[in-house]
């Protein structure tokens, strides 16, 4: 039968899919999607037949067929008469589909996903920092200033638990980067960030663990200084300096993430 999980309720998921589905259909799509991403069926391997899936998942034929149609639209599978439904190569998966990102986060593919996202950040964010500093509107720059003040304030919180302070740190870190990205004025970049945001949150968590911060903000002095360098260059109107500081920040994040991954292996 369908493998239920706490993330099967679509309204509770940190990411919404391109094809939002709820109820039993949503559960079947998520179940099959996670299993494909996790490698239960390899590329070019044929999924069980409709009848076999109906019996295993305890659902009707229409649910199985609609689930396969949705997975097909996401690039995970292809159905052909007489040949059945086969798993497609990763090269044709719609890797920016929020559901795929969510499933990869839940599967053994998580480390590959996070390393890939770090390379995306290294490619994009230094240029984002330059553009935000050089061309951001006054309102956009005010948001960056506010985001920085919020990030600093977290370090001095007293009436919260260490776990809450740690989560606040992640939330404000994301807002700091989000504010820079919004200052560029590109809807495409903003949407890209919103799609990968849950994965970025997990990635920051891995980085913090690598520095010894598992339940409280310990060992975060260097990363705080790296963010300070970005903000200082931005506040001074030094676009080249902001670009360089952001590149250094992301490169440091890659080192932290690799250390974090090695700790979990």
């Amino acid at each position: 039968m369908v493998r239920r999980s706490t993330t099967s309720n679509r309204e509770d998921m940190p990411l919404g899919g391109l094809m939002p589905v709820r109820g039993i259909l949503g559960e079947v799509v998520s179940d099959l999607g996670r299993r494909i991403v996790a490698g239960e069926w390899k590329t070019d391997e044929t999924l069980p037949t409709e009848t076999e899936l109906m019996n295993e998942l305890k659902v009707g034929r229409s649910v199985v067929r609609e689930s396969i149609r949705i997975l097909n639209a996401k690039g995970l599978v292809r159905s052909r008469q007489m040949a059945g439904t086969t798993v497609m190569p990763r090269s044709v998966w719609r890797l920016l589909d929020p559901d795929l990102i969510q499933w990869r986060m839940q599967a053994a593919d998580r480390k590959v996903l996070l390393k890939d996202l770090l390379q995306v950040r290294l490619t994009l964010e230094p240029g984002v920092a330059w553009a935000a500093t050089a061309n951001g509107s006054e309102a956009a720059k005010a948001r960056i200033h506010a985001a920085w003040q919020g990030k600093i304030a977290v370090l001095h919180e007293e009436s919260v638990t260490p776990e809450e302070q740690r989560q606040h740190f992640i939330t404000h870190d994301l807002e700091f980067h989000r504010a820079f990205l919004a200052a560029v004025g590109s809807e495409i970049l903003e949407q890209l960030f919103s799609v990968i945001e849950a994965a970025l949150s997990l990635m920051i968590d891995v980085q913090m663990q690598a520095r010894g911060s598992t339940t409280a903000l310990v060992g975060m002095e260097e990363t705080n200084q790296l963010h300070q360098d970005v903000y200082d260059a931005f506040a001074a109107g030094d676009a080249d300096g902001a670009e360089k500081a952001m590149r250094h920040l992301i490169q440091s994040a890659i080192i932290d993430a690799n250390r974090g991954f090695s700790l979990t292996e």
Side-chain angles (χ1 to χ4, degrees):
M1 59 186 299
V2 177
R3 302 174 185 176
R4 300 177 185 272
S5 71
T6 57
T7 59
S8 62
N9 185 336
R10 308 291 303 197
E11 295 178 353
D12 292 337
M13 291 174 64
L15 295 171
L18 296 179
M19 293 184 174
V21 287
R22 295 178 174 81
I24 190 64
L25 176 59
E27 292 179 5
V28 171
V29 170
S30 294
D31 178 68
L32 294 176
R34 282 193 298 267
R35 293 163 69 182
I36 292 170
V37 167
E40 183 171 332
W41 300 290
K42 307 299 183 183
T43 299
D44 294 328
E45 190 171 336
T46 303
L47 266 62
T49 65
E50 281 187 0
T51 300
E52 289 170 335
L53 288 175
M54 289 166 57
N55 291 334
E56 176 192 347
L57 303 174
K58 308 301 181 186
V59 297
R61 189 177 303 275
S62 62
V63 171
V64 171
R65 287 184 174 177
E66 182 63 11
S67 298
I68 296 301
R69 185 188 72 81
I70 293 173
L71 295 174
N72 180 80
K74 295 176 183 293
L76 290 177
V77 300
R78 178 175 296 172
S79 297
R80 293 190 179 94
Q81 282 190 335
M82 309 302 294
T85 300
T86 57
V87 175
M88 298 298 291
R90 290 172 61 95
S91 59
V92 300
W93 291 6
R94 300 189 183 279
L95 294 176
L96 287 180
D97 181 303
D99 284 330
L100 259 72
I101 291 177
Q102 184 73 19
W103 297 335
R104 292 179 69 185
M105 286 170 58
Q106 297 167 349
D109 197 33
R110 185 178 75 168
K111 183 165 71 172
V112 174
L113 168 66
L114 297 184
K115 287 187 173 182
D116 195 7
L117 288 176
L118 277 168
Q119 291 304 317
V120 171
R121 292 187 67 189
L122 183 59
T123 301
L124 293 179
E125 288 200 66
V128 165
W130 187 96
T133 304
N135 305 318
S137 67
E138 290 305 313
K141 290 183 177 181
R143 178 177 175 181
I144 295 174
H145 288 299
W148 177 249
Q149 294 305 315
K151 186 171 172 59
I152 290 299
V154 171
L155 302 177
H156 306 290
E157 290 181 329
E158 297 179 351
S159 59
V160 296
T161 67
E163 292 82 2
E164 289 173 332
Q165 186 183 31
R166 188 173 185 276
Q167 186 54 53
H168 292 169
F169 181 90
I170 293 175
T171 299
H172 284 281
D173 188 285
L174 288 171
E175 170 58 15
F176 181 71
H177 290 277
R178 190 189 301 114
F180 269 95
L181 201 126
V184 177
S186 168
E187 292 180 337
I188 293 175
L189 281 175
E190 288 192 56
Q191 189 167 106
L192 174 62
F193 190 91
S194 69
V195 166
I196 67 176
E197 188 166 355
L200 289 177
S201 178
L202 177 60
M203 186 161 51
I204 295 171
D205 189 68
V206 170
Q207 294 168 226
M208 293 177 72
Q209 290 182 46
R211 289 183 175 271
S213 179
T214 55
T215 58
L217 295 183
V218 296
M220 300 304 295
E221 295 80 5
E222 182 181 349
T223 185
N224 285 337
Q225 184 58 55
L226 292 171
H227 283 81
Q228 177 83 60
D229 293 343
V230 174
Y231 176 75
D232 286 347
F234 160 77
D238 180 3
D240 291 339
E243 179 181 23
K244 181 179 179 180
M246 184 66 83
R247 180 173 292 107
H248 189 198
L249 170 61
I250 304 302
Q251 287 171 335
S252 178
I254 291 173
I255 293 173
D256 286 343
N258 286 334
R259 187 184 302 127
F261 293 138
S262 66
L263 291 175
T264 60
E265 290 177 344

